[in-house]
Amino acid sequence: MNATPEAVRPQSTSAIRVRLAPSPTGSLHIGTARTAVFNWLFARHHGGSFLLRIEDTDRERSKQAFTDNILDGLAWLGLSWDGDPVIQSERVSLHREAIQKLLDGGFAYRCYATEEELTAMRDAQAASKQAPRYDNRHRDLTPEQQAAFIAEGREAVIRFRIDDARSITWSDMVRGEMRWSGSDLGGDMVIARRAPHDQIGDPLYNLVVVVDDAAMAITHVIRGEDHIANTAKQLLLYEALGYPVPQFAHTPLILNKEGKKLSKRDGVTSISDFRRMGYTAEALANYMTLLGWSPPEGMGERFTLSQAAEAFGFERVNRAGARFDWDKLNWLNGQVLREQGAAALREQLLPLWQAEGFEVGSDPAWETDLSELLSTSLTLLADGVEQAKPFFTTPELDEAAQGQLAVEGAKAALAALLERLPEAELAADQAQTLLGEAATAAGVKKGVIMKTMRAALLGSLQGPDLLTTWLLLHRRGLDRNRIQRCL
Ligand code: GLU
């Protein structure tokens, strides 16, 4: 073997082929989805291909329902892939052929060590404070020794030789020059399990990934930094199998508030959870792009995937972990809801309003104007139900609102306003004049009547813009009764 595998080959940008290789052992996780985003952005930026491979070699833990969830989630996010997904389990003969080639070339061998022997080995290592590793004990068995193990009925695994003295280097598109020593890789690695002397058995992850990436002509492997040690091992496999070596980009982990790797314990982590909570695909995709990538100056933080694809490159992907920031995601979601305009927002709110029992459908223009008003303070679409409530049902007066009505001159000002309140539609400047006149008549500051009107109309001192609120309620004749009940 050479001292160093050939690490980087120049790639022509038009022929770029990347892949996402999810294992269908759970729902689409935010980490996988973010890896998908970076693969997609890179492929689209270069006019290359973004391929999918379903890594279902773990037959027990892989489920069709998870595959469906993953494909659904990617499609929902707008991460379109090229061609049909490759199903890894359908390619096992290809994987076995590669292993046979490694056996034939002396790169791999059968190891007959039993579970008990391996445990005793690790215990001894622990006792002498050594890192656990396979000690390569069956690397050079004689045919007689092999025959004796087989006669004992021992099961074998197939291991790939990793010389301790090897140095492995590559130029990572995110992390720069990477250097590993063979001695850090835990000894000869298992590439197939349950492999009796005349069979190859079940090929394992590192081998299978290399065979498939080569067969799919993948030019750039973009995946999470938790795969860095695998990359070192995989480079040795590329070399032994004589495959062209792709480039690698290891993207930073997503961290929680405490700076630890985001996990199930942090609550929502699957894309379907975010979707169920009411986040839009657009905001979530936008947000995931920002998890580890810094957009160029002047681009801002709100953009579509296509806009990001135009600007995307690994030189702006950070090495440091990316902290998950709910406030930013919420802000983006609100932006997306507002951008689509009031009419589209009304369309989305209608079924939610209906489900809540609000009477809707008779006055689309009014509902659109209400949507416009609500849009200014929405984070999630569902917030538009709670916030719309006082526009469809008469609210109770909360304590603060009752307190406001008890303020000196407040009721007198309300009464003065009610006297002047026209039946006909009210324009904004007219409403302003009315507020001023009522305040003067009652001898209070304009702020007092404004706050009191808010209390009377909404039952609370919180809420959207007062004037717009009032004009909307007036159009449906709802303001008069609410003022009256306070007097
Ligand atoms: N199936 C692996 C995973 O989900 C793929 C890793 C890779 O991209 O090579 O982590």
Side-chain angles (χ1 to χ4, degrees):
M1 285 191 210
N2 300 327
T4 312
E6 186 182 348
V8 185
R9 268 159 208 262
Q11 304 284 348
S12 96
T13 49
S14 57
I16 277 175
R17 290 167 68 83
V18 299
R19 74 349 180 235
L20 182 77
S23 306
T25 53
S27 305
L28 179 60
H29 184 271
I30 177 117
T32 310
R34 202 275 312 258
T35 301
V37 168
F38 283 9
N39 272 283
W40 188 93
L41 293 174
F42 186 69
R44 297 297 174 249
H45 179 86
H46 291 288
S49 306
F50 171 54
L51 310 176
L52 277 191
R53 183 172 69 236
I54 302 298
E55 302 215 312
D56 58 346
T57 35
D58 183 342
R59 304 302 286 161
E60 269 124 67
R61 291 173 58 225
S62 297
K63 300 256 164 359
Q64 184 59 40
F66 291 136
T67 299
D68 295 344
N69 176 284
I70 291 166
L71 298 184
D72 242 34
L74 293 172
W76 177 70
L77 288 166
L79 300 169
S80 48
W81 56 89
D82 299 305
D84 288 334
V86 168
I87 308 298
Q88 193 161 61
S89 60
E90 291 171 1
R91 305 157 67 84
V92 66
S93 58
L94 212 67
H95 309 140
R96 289 191 177 130
E97 259 169 49
I99 295 174
Q100 189 60 55
K101 197 170 149 196
L102 292 173
L103 285 168
D104 295 345
F107 295 104
Y109 62 89
R110 284 192 172 72
C111 164
Y112 297 87
T114 63
E115 225 17 82
E116 294 76 52
E117 287 169 351
L118 293 175
T119 307
M121 177 192 75
R122 281 191 286 264
D123 288 349
Q125 286 164 347
S128 59
K129 301 224 170 352
Q130 289 173 318
R133 69 196 310 272
Y134 173 63
D135 59 7
N136 304 342
R137 58 179 59 185
H138 287 183
R139 195 188 255 190
D140 298 304
L141 293 179
T142 63
E144 293 73 29
Q145 285 172 313
Q146 275 202 32
F149 286 137
I150 294 167
E152 269 181 48
R154 288 193 183 205
E155 259 221 348
V157 299
I158 298 176
R159 288 185 184 268
F160 176 73
R161 299 170 76 110
I162 298 180
D163 288 331
D164 279 353
R166 278 300 304 264
S167 118
I168 303 144
T169 60
W170 76 93
S171 175
D172 195 280
M173 291 193 287
V174 176
R175 311 179 68 85
E177 291 313 307
M178 302 292 284
R179 180 172 293 275
W180 279 70
S181 158
S183 57
D184 293 335
L185 298 179
D188 295 345
M189 83 168 136
V190 181
I191 54 173
R193 246 195 244 116
R194 285 195 284 272
H197 66 284
D198 55 348
Q199 282 166 43
I200 301 292
D202 304 333
L204 295 186
Y205 167 73
N206 277 307
L207 180 283
V208 164
V209 163
V210 168
V211 172
D212 284 345
D213 281 341
M216 291 164 74
I218 297 303
T219 57
H220 296 74
V221 173
I222 302 162
R223 59 187 171 195
E225 70 173 42
D226 43 337
H227 284 290
I228 288 178
N230 288 329
T231 297
K233 295 175 182 171
Q234 290 173 18
L235 281 168
L236 296 176
L237 286 166
Y238 276 100
E239 182 186 72
L241 289 163
Y243 296 154
V245 180
Q247 292 196 47
F248 290 90
H250 290 95
T251 56
L253 295 180
I254 303 176
L255 308 176
N256 64 16
K257 277 208 301 298
E258 288 77 39
K260 304 246 165 60
K261 185 177 169 179
L262 193 75
S263 75
K264 285 229 169 73
R265 265 165 292 141
D266 294 300
V268 249
T269 47
S270 81
I271 295 303
S272 29
D273 288 341
F274 285 99
R275 189 175 179 179
R276 215 170 297 122
M277 285 172 76
Y279 287 98
T280 59
E282 219 177 313
L284 198 54
N286 186 163
Y287 182 61
M288 286 191 290
T289 306
L290 292 170
L291 277 174
W293 181 64
S294 316
E297 200 96 6
M299 187 165 167
E301 292 191 307
R302 166 70 194 118
F303 40 72
T304 63
L305 278 176
S306 313
Q307 288 164 339
E310 257 171 59
F312 188 80
F314 279 98
E315 64 289 343
R316 303 190 71 87
V317 172
N318 314 317
R319 291 184 201 194
R323 234 170 247 248
F324 196 90
D325 179 354
W326 282 99
D327 291 340
K328 188 163 287 177
L329 173 60
N330 287 338
W331 172 76
L332 282 169
N333 206 67
Q335 290 291 110
V336 169
L337 290 177
R338 281 184 277 289
E339 275 163 20
Q340 56 182 345
L345 188 57
R346 169 184 169 269
E347 291 289 324
Q348 291 180 286
L349 283 168
L350 269 185
L352 305 186
W353 286 343
Q354 246 149 6
E356 197 66 17
F358 298 163
E359 261 179 56
V360 289
S362 61
D363 194 347
W366 183 84
E367 289 159 7
T368 302
D369 290 346
L370 172 60
S371 303
E372 173 78 45
L373 174 66
L374 299 179
S375 76
T376 54
S377 55
L378 292 188
T379 297
L380 297 173
L381 189 61
D383 299 339
V385 176
E386 193 51 37
Q387 293 174 20
K389 215 177 208 161
F391 292 87
F392 291 103
T393 60
T394 308
E396 299 284 322
L397 297 182
D398 70 15
E399 225 171 285
Q402 287 173 20
Q404 178 58 32
L405 285 163
V407 165
E408 204 183 325
K411 282 192 182 165
L414 265 193
L417 191 139
L418 188 61
E419 272 171 31
R420 295 166 171 79
L421 189 67
E423 292 290 344
E425 182 137 349
L426 202 54
D429 52 349
Q430 209 185 341
Q432 281 286 11
T433 311
L434 274 184
L435 287 169
E437 285 175 11
T440 312
V444 297
K445 291 219 173 79
K446 197 166 168 198
V448 173
I449 178 65
M450 291 189 61
K451 242 170 132 178
T452 311
M453 272 295 275
R454 185 180 281 288
L457 295 175
L458 294 173
S460 152
L461 299 185
Q462 318 292 319
D465 176 67
L466 174 68
L467 216 58
T468 317
T469 299
W470 178 19
L471 296 183
L472 275 170
L473 289 170
H474 185 79
R475 273 161 69 184
R476 305 207 103 181
L478 296 171
D479 52 346
R480 187 173 300 274
N481 280 347
R482 292 190 192 184
I483 297 169
Q484 245 153 8
R485 71 173 171 158
C486 295
L487 294 174

